[in-house]
Amino acid sequence: MSGENYSALHFKELPLNVGELSHVSRDSLALFAVSSFAVTELNVIARMVLSTSQTSEKDEPINVAAFIQQSCILRIWTLKLFEFHECIKKLVNGKDSAESEVRRVAEYCLRKFKEELQLDESYSLARDVRNEAAGHYSFGAAKKNLDHVKNEGVASMFVHKQAGNSFYPFGEEVMFAGRLNRHGASPSNAASRDKLIDELFSWNLKANSWVRNSHLHVFSKFVAPELPGKFLKKCVFWVTSEKVGDVSDFRVPLFVCRDFGEEL
């Protein structure tokens, strides 16, 4: 199948069904499941972050809305990365009961996190964003951040008949931009703020690689030995082209339009 309406996606598949995992221990399967769940979710979120960058518009409020959308997905990405880290940490600390071999694999993954990510100078930024601007809605953090918000920050409210298009920038000014300003020296301009966001993005990319490598390590230790004679095979899926975007120009829409008179 070929033509302008379809795109070919090439994968390598390890054919496998749940029944073939029956000889893997229950604890090992649980760790394989949660690592598979995490790495897949994180890949989806990473794709979304890459496709939320928007070109600048003449109306500054639209640029603010674009910044909010991209920052929102970036924060969710950060939160999810730390959630997997917490899962591994609980296994190591014995808060989730597991057999000793599973705990040893978790210890290896946690050691790699410390070596590759926790010693990174951007770790504290990612941790602060996760704790106060991603994982929780914190009244206390809002009060602290208020002292780090510039007077010219946008506090207007933009209300659209499609409720999902509405946005209220004051929250972003206080809870995210204000938190960035609290991190070290307060950024004096948008370029300084963008530098911190770039640091967060770069740390997230490295953390995403850590999750992928952790998943591969879990598979190699617990699942692969139980699958003698299993090999990767090449497969091709022909997908309607509207489902495949070029990362250089594909963008998630900033606003949506519905003709049904329904709210989102």
Side-chain angles (χ1 to χ4, degrees), residues 73-98:
I73 305 300
L74 178 62
R75 292 192 296 269
I76 292 171
W77 188 17
T78 307
L79 171 64
K80 285 292 191 175
L81 288 164
F82 274 97
E83 284 300 302
F84 184 70
H85 172 249
E86 284 296 316
C87 175
I88 296 300
K89 202 162 67 168
K90 284 181 179 178
L91 281 173
V92 171
N93 295 335
K95 293 181 179 179
D96 282 341
S97 60

Side-chain angles (χ1 to χ4, degrees), residues 12-191:
K12 291 181 179 178
E13 178 191 4
L14 180 66
L16 192 61
N17 61 53
V18 174
E20 294 175 278
L21 301 174
S22 60
H23 297 297
V24 181
S25 76
R26 188 175 182 85
D27 283 6
S28 299
L29 273 181
L31 184 54
F32 180 52
V34 75
S35 65
S36 298
F37 188 57
V39 73
T40 304
E41 276 199 337
L42 288 163
N43 285 344
V44 170
I45 296 169
R47 287 201 308 271
M48 292 180 68
V49 171
L50 289 174
S51 60
T52 52
S53 176
Q54 301 284 348
T55 57
S56 181
E57 297 283 345
K58 63 180 179 63
D59 295 315
E60 187 55 26
I62 303 303
N63 296 328
V64 171
F67 173 76
I68 291 173
Q69 175 169 283
Q70 185 170 43
S71 297
C72 179
I73 305 300
L74 178 62
R75 292 192 296 269
I76 292 171
W77 188 17
T78 307
L79 171 64
K80 285 292 191 175
L81 288 164
F82 274 97
E83 284 300 302
F84 184 70
H85 172 249
E86 284 296 316
C87 175
I88 296 300
K89 202 162 67 168
K90 284 181 179 178
L91 281 173
V92 171
N93 295 335
K95 293 181 179 179
D96 282 341
S97 60
E99 56 196 35
S100 58
E101 185 60 28
V102 168
R103 191 172 290 113
R104 279 194 291 271
V105 167
E107 287 171 350
Y108 171 86
C109 296
L110 186 61
R111 185 169 66 251
K112 287 295 183 181
F113 180 91
K114 291 177 178 177
E115 294 170 356
E116 299 169 8
L117 295 162
Q118 198 161 333
L119 297 178
D120 189 291
E121 61 182 11
S122 298
Y123 167 76
S124 61
L125 170 63
R127 180 199 59 206
D128 291 346
V129 167
R130 177 258 190 169
N131 288 344
E132 294 189 9
H136 311 283
Y137 294 115
S138 172
F139 176 76
K143 288 179 70 175
K144 292 177 183 178
N145 294 349
L146 283 171
D147 293 331
H148 299 268
V149 177
K150 294 182 291 186
N151 287 335
E152 60 269 27
V154 180
S156 304
M157 299 193 297
F158 299 89
V159 183
H160 189 271
K161 67 178 182 179
Q162 296 292 343
N165 287 336
S166 301
F167 59 104
Y168 310 90
F170 182 60
E172 194 77 12
E173 287 284 352
V174 175
M175 302 308 297
F176 189 49
R179 188 59 186 89
L180 292 179
N181 291 351
R182 278 176 59 207
H183 184 83
S186 294
S188 59
N189 52 47

